[in-house]
Amino acid sequence: MQNREQSNSLLLKIYMDNLIEKNLNSLLNLQVIDCKLDDIAKMRGTLPEEAENLEKRLSALQQKLQSMEEETVQLEQCITEHRIKIKDTGALVKKYEEQQMNVRNNREYDAITKEIDLQKLEIQLSEKKIKNTYERIEENKLAIDQSKATYEKHRHVLATKQEELQILTSKSEGDERKLNKQRAQVVKGIEEHLVSTYERIRKNMRNRLAVVSVRKEACGGCFNQVPPQKQVEIREKKSVIA
């Protein structure tokens, strides 16, 4: 019974050692593939980011233009409403003036005169609002023209960058597609928690290296010294060290 238990323990140890070594080899293959993908991304430089930023600017400009154009329509509607008010108020003033000719006493005359003056002030106020609204419309039209010019400029630059990006992408899309397919296959063979750790380390490293060799007793990624015992474990591939 004891010999059987010892045999089972030995088999389990061998299995675990093989599993760890398999994971390590797969992680190394994954790093090699990701390095090649990184190299392809470097060929494109900052073009993808620049194109994305330009698309955001164009979207913002479109919204701004739409907002200003809608405001201009509303301002023009306000002018129309003020003109109607001036016309109606003018008719009211004319009516009061006719009534003023038929008053019976000074009190009625003064009351109508006061009402006429009040309505004339309303007309002056509406005229002033029309003038201010026209000024606002002119400012809007100038801003719209400037925004349209900026939009066209950015649109032209974006088209140029997208064309450059398309040329670069077409040169490497076959290799990139092949590498991504290989990457998906390699990831399937690695334990999920190890893949998560790998991705986290890659994200936090400036050089994007998560699996590295030990060189001159130092980590090939962060260049920190590796203790002798850890070096032995790394050589034997009996544990994953993060």
Side-chain angles (χ1 to χ4, degrees), residues 78-89:
C78 284
I79 289 175
T80 301
E81 291 171 0
H82 284 308
R83 290 193 184 283
I84 293 171
K85 184 177 180 180
I86 288 172
K87 184 178 179 180
D88 292 343
T89 306

Side-chain angles (χ1 to χ4, degrees), residues 11 32 47 82 87 95 126 154-155 157 169 172 189 193 215 229 240:
L11 287 173
V32 170
L47 274 176
H82 284 308
K87 184 178 179 180
K95 179 182 176 182
S126 292
H154 286 338
R155 189 180 65 81
V157 173
T169 301
S172 58
H193 73 96
R215 297 176 181 175
Q229 182 58 37
V240 177

